[in-house]
Structure formats: C-alpha cells, structure tokens
Amino acid sequence: MRVPPTLSAVLGNLFRKPATNPFPESEPVPVPEGFRGKLVYHVDKCVGCRLCVTVCPAGVFEYIPEVRKVTLWLGRCVFCKQCVDVCPVSALEMSDEFLLATYDKYDDNLRWFREKEIEKMIEEKKKAQKK
C-alpha cells in the first residue's frame, strides 16, 4: 500500500525542531533591512500637502485643515509604504517596530492625534495668528 504524500510529510515533521521563533519565550528575531514596521510621523516636518491622504489605500490619514496637518490611525495601516514614498518633505517613515498587537483597535499606541491634542493645536495656531 502506498503512503499518501501528505501523511509522509506530517510524519517527517513530527521529529523535526519547530521552524518558527518561540517569541514570547525568547527575544524576537532581528528585522531585515528595509522592514516596514510601525509608521512614524514627524509633525514638525509636515507641510499639509495631503499627498499621503490621496495615495493611502487603507484610509489611514485624515486631514485637519485648521492646522494643515494629518492625523493617522495605524489600526488601519497595511504597511505598504506608499505614503512614505510620496511625502515630499520626509515627514513619514517606517520604523523597525512591529509589536503592535492589542485587543483595542482604538488603542492610543495606534492613534497619532487624539481629539484633545487636535483642539490644543488649533488653539495654539489661533494664538500665534493673533500675535
């Protein structure tokens, strides 16, 4: 009787070491060069051109016209790096950070500006314009 190829593969793998990294029990593996991890936004460099809003396939960016900046929600990001490539002033970059797992998709770690921060930025801009 002939052994099915799937069964022979399963039996062969029973006696091999795991090929995956046992991450919680050990350190994570080092990331390769060019890895696309968590998106980093340099607010001070942003000029409000909205190119990132235009090219983002996942709808990560939301434009705030009062302060000419964007806010981003990383819970939607697919890490395609199109926003980084199109940004004319390098206000966006990809980091090596990949430990973003959370049970709350609205976690502060995944949101760039919260409502209070946006309101504070608007007030600061209005004060600066009055001077």
Side-chain angles (χ1 to χ4, degrees), residues 34-102:
F35 180 79
R36 295 183 291 197
K38 182 178 179 180
L39 193 61
V40 178
Y41 176 44
H42 302 287
V43 182
D44 53 331
K45 290 183 179 180
C46 182
V47 294
C49 67
R50 294 179 287 202
L51 286 173
C52 54
V53 178
T54 306
V55 301
C56 183
V60 172
F61 299 92
E62 181 182 334
Y63 183 67
I64 308 168
E66 295 87 5
V67 291
R68 294 184 47 96
K69 303 287 181 194
V70 294
T71 182
L72 40 140
W73 181 25
L74 293 174
R76 289 182 171 176
C77 188
V78 294
F79 307 99
C80 66
K81 198 180 172 184
Q82 290 182 35
C83 56
V84 175
D85 292 339
V86 78
C87 185
V89 292
S90 301
L92 297 164
E93 67 176 303
M94 302 301 278
S95 70
D96 291 343
E97 185 180 349
F98 62 91
L99 300 175
L100 304 175
T102 179

Side-chain angles (χ1 to χ4, degrees), residues 121-131:
M121 288 174 64
I122 292 171
E123 288 176 19
E124 289 175 359
K125 186 171 182 179
K126 286 179 181 179
K127 287 179 185 178
Q129 288 176 347
K130 288 181 182 179
K131 289 184 180 182

